[in-house]
Amino acid sequence: MSTSVQPKILSREQLKQRVAEWRRGGARVTLANGCFDLLHVGHVRYLHAARELGGKLVVAVNSDDSVRGLKGAGRPLMPAEERAEILAALADVDAVVIFPEHDVRAIIREIRPDFQAKGTDYTAESVPERDGGRVAIVGDPKDHSATEIIRTRLTPRST
């Protein structure tokens, strides 16, 4: 079976093997990451811009426990497996991995991406994992937020 039709949702070990295959073929690797709790246009634009850096795009998705630790009670809205499946369905995404840590330092060490793509809510200096290689700030201005969508559109308002 060719790499292009193999499943996109990978374990950490499978991801390391896939990245090694891509590199043997001369491909560069870009890593993007996030909770992706409620996929919105800002996420799509971020991932598309990350893909435009060239090569293969790996998306690391925070596990359910990790999202709860970062976002608080009541999150995530969808389980990690479903968030990963939605991301894997996007044409710009080549591989998806779920990770339990609060940041992607371990994955950066494991796959050594050529680029680490972060959204415009960061600067190159504010990226927590910036010591892991070349950081690229990509996507449109941070005008979209799952947390804000949940707060303003999905939370019942008292009348």
Side-chain angles (χ1 to χ4, degrees):
M1 186 182 305
S2 76
T3 302
S4 64
V5 297
Q6 291 174 343
K8 289 183 180 181
I9 302 171
L10 306 173
S11 69
R12 298 275 276 267
E13 190 56 41
Q14 290 170 324
L15 178 62
K16 288 191 282 189
Q17 292 171 9
R18 184 75 52 88
V19 167
E21 289 172 17
W22 290 337
R23 288 228 166 88
R24 281 193 296 274
R28 292 188 307 181
V29 176
T30 298
L31 175 67
N33 71 284
C35 297
F36 302 100
D37 194 14
L38 181 62
L39 193 66
H40 54 70
V41 71
H43 290 135
V44 172
R45 291 171 182 168
Y46 161 59
L47 295 173
H48 184 71
R51 176 56 178 233
E52 289 184 332
L53 293 170
K56 302 292 186 173
L57 178 59
V58 173
V59 180
V61 179
N62 291 80
S63 70
D64 295 346
D65 286 341
S66 178
V67 173
R68 267 189 291 284
L70 293 166
K71 303 288 184 177
R75 302 285 295 274
L77 299 176
M78 295 184 294
E81 293 76 16
E82 291 180 14
R83 292 182 278 126
E85 186 175 340
I86 290 167
L87 290 164
L90 299 176
D92 285 323
V93 176
D94 294 295
V96 178
V97 64
I98 298 169
F99 69 101
E101 299 89 355
H102 287 255
D103 66 45
V104 291
R105 284 184 178 100
I107 293 176
I108 290 170
R109 284 191 303 272
E110 291 168 10
I111 68 168
R112 296 182 350 267
D114 296 283
F115 294 100
Q116 181 194 2
K118 296 299 271 189
T120 57
D121 47 334
Y122 290 94
T123 65
E125 295 75 34
S126 71
V127 173
E129 314 90 355
R130 70 184 171 276
D131 55 341
R134 187 169 173 187
V135 173
I137 305 301
V138 299
D140 64 345
K142 182 69 174 181
D143 294 334
H144 309 91
S145 160
T147 299
E148 191 63 19
I149 290 169
I150 293 164
R151 189 182 68 74
T152 61
R153 298 184 193 169
L154 301 179
T155 304
R157 295 186 180 117
S158 58
T159 54

